[in-house]
Amino acid sequence: MIDVTTAAWAHTAVDLAAWGAGLALSVVLYRWRLKGVTEQVAGKVGGGYFAALAAGAVPGAWLAGSMNSLAGADPALSHSVVGALIGAIVGVEVYKAARGIKGSTGGVFVGPFALGVVVGRWGCLFAGLPDGTYGSPADLPWAVNLGDGVGRHPVQVYESLAMALFLAAYLEGLARRRPWAMRRGFYALCLWYGLTRFGWEFLKPYPPLIGPLNLFHLLCGGLVAYGWVYYRASLARERAQGGALSVPGADHEPV
């Protein structure tokens, strides 16, 4: 069992680091590969896009986190990154439907979100038991003691490493201008994050809603369904166009 020193302020400190890292990566990706894609999206979404995103993400984060916490033995208001992601998707898709906007518009957020999870989950770990994101008891060499003498699954580390793996694959995809990364990266993110998070939820002591499934199982199931349906639809459109891609070349002209 690994003893972990925890502190309440760790979550805020690491969250700030995660936001900073995500912002820095967004600048790098914009200059390196995504300038053309970002400009194409910005030209069609309009100023209300980010308002719709925020209008979905903020209540989504607090509703999902609080609903899960209030159903447990120690009820409290809380927030959730998966709730924020799903809320943002709902807000943006409603906005896009109202404006008649087609295609993926979330590519610019893929790298920053993934890196934010990679960094931010360590804040959840070092915040300890009060954070409410700890794993179920486990008798494993790498189980962590968060201060109560009980070995637990380090689910925060599992999630961080899983997203680090996705981020590495995504960056490789961008480097090689692979269609899945350039055109469908956001849907791939939803698929990967939803699937892996669904698995990690079995290692958390959250209250079940349907059989062994908790609230986040259901939300992640919806996230996977969204990613799969939209990924397939994007791929079908590409094939209908004869495999032609509208992605920026080195001079930011479509190729």
Side-chain angles (χ1 to χ4, degrees):
M1 186 165 60
I2 303 171
D3 294 332
V4 176
T5 301
T6 63
W9 53 264
H11 204 310
T12 300
V14 179
D15 275 354
L16 291 175
W19 281 95
L23 179 60
L25 181 60
S26 69
V27 173
V28 171
L29 294 182
Y30 173 79
R31 294 177 176 176
W32 175 48
R33 278 291 185 268
L34 298 181
K35 182 177 181 181
V37 173
T38 303
E39 290 176 348
Q40 290 173 16
V41 170
K44 65 180 181 180
V45 297
Y49 177 86
F50 288 98
L53 187 154
V58 174
W62 285 98
L63 279 173
S66 297
M67 287 174 63
N68 182 67
S69 296
L70 293 174
D74 188 19
L77 293 178
S78 182
H79 59 278
S80 161
V81 66
V82 70
L85 177 59
I86 292 175
I89 289 172
V90 172
V92 166
E93 291 298 341
V94 169
Y95 176 81
K96 286 166 60 178
R99 295 285 301 271
I101 299 169
K102 304 294 183 180
S104 176
T105 59
V108 68
F109 304 110
V110 175
F113 179 88
L115 184 57
V117 173
V118 170
V119 177
R121 280 312 186 196
W122 289 90
C124 297
L125 175 69
F126 292 119
L129 295 175
D131 188 62
T133 57
Y134 50 85
S136 301
D139 184 17
L140 296 167
W142 58 86
V144 292
N145 170 23
L146 300 178
D148 62 351
V150 177
R152 302 178 185 277
H153 280 286
V155 288
Q156 306 93 331
V157 179
Y158 297 165
E159 187 172 339
S160 176
L161 295 178
M163 288 306 292
L165 181 61
F166 172 85
L167 181 59
Y170 174 67
L171 294 177
E172 188 275 342
L174 288 184
R176 296 179 179 272
R177 298 186 184 278
R178 299 190 186 278
W180 78 264
M182 298 296 294
R183 301 193 68 184
R184 294 180 287 278
F186 185 74
Y187 304 142
L189 170 71
C190 292
L191 275 166
W192 179 261
Y193 184 64
L195 282 170
T196 55
R197 178 73 185 265
F198 187 92
W200 308 142
E201 289 304 312
F202 287 110
L203 305 179
K204 299 179 183 179
Y206 289 157
L209 290 181
I210 302 176
L213 306 182
N214 63 41
L215 174 63
F216 293 127
H217 279 119
L218 304 183
L219 293 178
C220 289
L223 193 61
V224 170
Y226 167 83
W228 175 254
V229 169
Y230 278 74
Y231 190 100
R232 296 291 296 176
S234 175
L235 188 60
R237 285 194 299 269
E238 181 181 305
R239 289 173 174 170
Q241 295 168 2
L245 299 179
S246 177
V247 298
D251 56 357
H252 307 302
E253 293 297 325
V255 297

